[in-house]
Amino acid sequence: MKKLILIITIFTLSGCAEMQQVLDEVANSNILTQEQIGQGLKEALTNGIVNQVTTLAIKDGFFKNEMVKILYPQELQKVDKTLRDIGLDALADEGLKMLNRAAEDAVSEAIPIFKEAIMNMTFADAKNILMGDKDAATQYLQRTTTEALRAKFQPIIQNSFQKVGADKVWNDIITKYNKIPLVNKVNPDLTGYVTDESLKSVYKMVAVEENKIRTDIGSRSTDLLKKVFALQD
């Protein structure tokens, strides 16, 4: 209880002299300093990236992970069903796989952007994350990285479509579908769709790791992580 009171006091004091007095007391006790708390949270966020996000960047990281696998947008679900109904299952499967391959190509670009956001995290950010909602760290990354990630992902996904021939496959799919009598013609923005779905998946995997660190003591792999997250247990 005394430790928790000291930590809360550090968070709330505004005067420099008062703050220094408390920090001096902390330095001579087992209480973590501001620097240690910030370091521990940065370590936890980095672990989230290394342990989860990088698993998306390998072959089948999206395609064989049901939690993040990119499915057809609503506009194309009728395309998928119609193609299968007329015996073009292989073509429909190939188109779906290529959506996921493009996401796998792009997601590795998230790691340096996340690391920069983590390095720029202030003590106020660290305090809000530690004592905030169960997904406060994920929310922080969404606020600070979404714009940069979208700018990185979109051209990579577009190039990936061209590299693996997805643009040709999808042109074939859409052409065949649009020739079917009585169907409503479609022309989806697949690059934009896969970009949005990739972003959602990245943050979903960060949230998985954040929840694990917050709730599973055994997942706190270092002494510093154990001490920092003990403050919110």
Side-chain angles (χ1 to χ4, degrees), residues 64-186:
K64 291 189 177 179
N65 183 342
E66 292 302 319
M67 185 181 295
V68 297
K69 182 178 181 178
I70 297 176
L71 303 177
Y72 288 112
Q74 187 172 1
E75 183 184 9
L76 289 183
Q77 288 174 11
K78 58 187 177 182
V79 177
D80 180 62
K81 182 179 184 306
T82 303
L83 291 176
R84 295 182 192 280
D85 287 346
I86 62 175
L88 296 176
D89 297 59
L91 183 60
D93 288 341
E94 187 66 14
L96 186 62
K97 183 181 291 186
M98 286 181 172
L99 296 184
N100 287 272
R101 288 287 182 264
E104 290 158 10
D105 280 349
V107 77
S108 62
E109 293 295 321
I111 295 171
I113 292 172
F114 277 152
K115 286 184 176 179
E116 182 178 0
I118 292 167
M119 290 303 297
N120 291 333
M121 188 172 69
T122 66
F123 179 66
D125 295 325
K127 177 190 71 173
N128 291 334
I129 289 170
L130 185 62
M131 299 303 182
D133 295 336
K134 63 181 181 180
D135 63 342
T138 305
Q139 290 180 39
Y140 168 79
L141 285 176
Q142 283 181 300
R143 287 194 308 272
T144 56
T145 64
T146 295
E147 232 177 90
L149 287 182
R150 188 183 302 280
K152 280 282 189 181
F153 278 19
Q154 192 143 334
I156 293 172
I157 287 168
Q158 190 168 14
N159 289 338
S160 179
F161 281 160
Q162 295 172 353
K163 180 180 70 177
V164 300
D167 49 350
K168 183 177 183 305
V169 170
W170 271 104
N171 183 62
D172 192 22
I173 289 173
I174 299 304
T175 299
K176 279 184 167 60
Y177 177 79
N178 286 341
K179 285 181 178 178
I180 298 171
L182 303 179
V183 302
N184 294 321
K185 290 180 169 43
V186 296

